Amino acid sequence: AGNYIISNREAFGSATILKKDIRLVGISTAYKSRPYNGAIDVTLTHRGSLKKSDLLPRDRGKVTLITGYGEIRSASANPLSQRVIFKNYRLKGASAFNYKLILPTDITVTITKKNLKINVNALIVNSKQYNADRNVDVSVKNAKDVLSGIVGADKVTLFLKAGDFIY
């Protein structure tokens, strides 16, 4: 090294400074499964917070979380869990532009089938002449009054089979 002198002590080039990942933690839903209700929104009991160890010490107090909401892709009942998609979560503050918010991908919800109730008062059991069997025909007074618990404008078909007289 004693035989050389560096005359140009400046070097030029370009580099990209990538945003530092900061994770959203502590988020939870009000349920792991819920009955079908026609909606894709998911109730969050804890909206989450930023993982403190992901923040550089000099940026503490300069990056805050703006919370959003959760939803799923389909409101339909399905025995498979659906991943909750977090929307409108973002960072705010003087140093927020240095960070990339990483949202959880392991929060899921299962939509189960909704129980409907049959209003037996809306059914008509048709009288018949004795014929030694227990079968009976059933009809409906008003189709709208038979089932309760239908969500919104959903269309539900009820198939009535012949019933049995109980002796």
Side-chain angles (χ1 to χ4, degrees):
N3 294 326
Y4 300 96
I5 296 175
I6 297 176
S7 60
N8 183 358
R9 296 189 181 181
E10 293 181 25
F12 296 95
S14 64
T16 301
I17 307 299
L18 301 174
K19 293 182 177 202
K20 182 172 175 26
D21 289 350
I22 187 166
R23 290 168 284 183
L24 176 65
V25 295
I27 196 162
S28 61
T29 61
Y31 37 76
K32 292 293 180 193
S33 69
R34 69 161 166 81
Y36 168 75
N37 66 5
I40 60 171
D41 60 306
V42 174
T43 303
L44 302 176
T45 51
H46 295 97
R47 296 194 175 274
S49 60
L50 299 175
K51 183 159 185 168
K52 300 288 187 219
S53 62
D54 288 348
L55 268 173
L56 295 176
R58 67 183 190 91
D59 289 333
R60 292 210 172 101
K62 296 179 183 176
V63 179
T64 56
L65 176 67
I66 304 297
T67 60
Y69 59 96
E71 63 183 30
I72 50 179
R73 291 195 191 283
S74 171
S76 297
N78 187 335
L80 302 175
S81 294
Q82 297 186 58
R83 186 172 63 88
V84 176
I85 303 160
F86 299 101
K87 298 207 170 181
N88 289 351
Y89 276 81
R90 60 188 188 281
L91 300 174
K92 181 180 173 183
S95 294
F97 62 91
N98 290 319
Y99 293 89
K100 176 182 169 188
L101 183 60
I102 304 299
L103 301 170
T105 58
D106 60 343
I107 310 287
T108 60
V109 170
T110 302
I111 306 303
T112 59
K113 292 182 178 185
K114 182 175 188 202
N115 290 325
L116 298 179
K117 292 185 179 172
I118 296 176
N119 177 3
V120 294
N121 294 326
L123 300 176
I124 300 170
V125 178
N126 298 318
S127 299
K128 70 174 195 165
Q129 189 173 33
Y130 174 75
N131 63 358
D133 71 25
R134 296 181 356 180
N135 295 335
V136 65
D137 289 327
V138 179
S139 59
V140 176
K141 290 179 189 174
N142 182 349
K144 289 183 176 184
D145 295 335
V146 174
L147 293 173
S148 64
I150 297 173
V151 175
D154 284 358
K155 301 287 185 219
V156 177
T157 304
L158 176 66
F159 294 99
L160 296 174
K161 291 179 139 183
D164 286 341
F165 273 120
I166 300 173
Y167 292 105

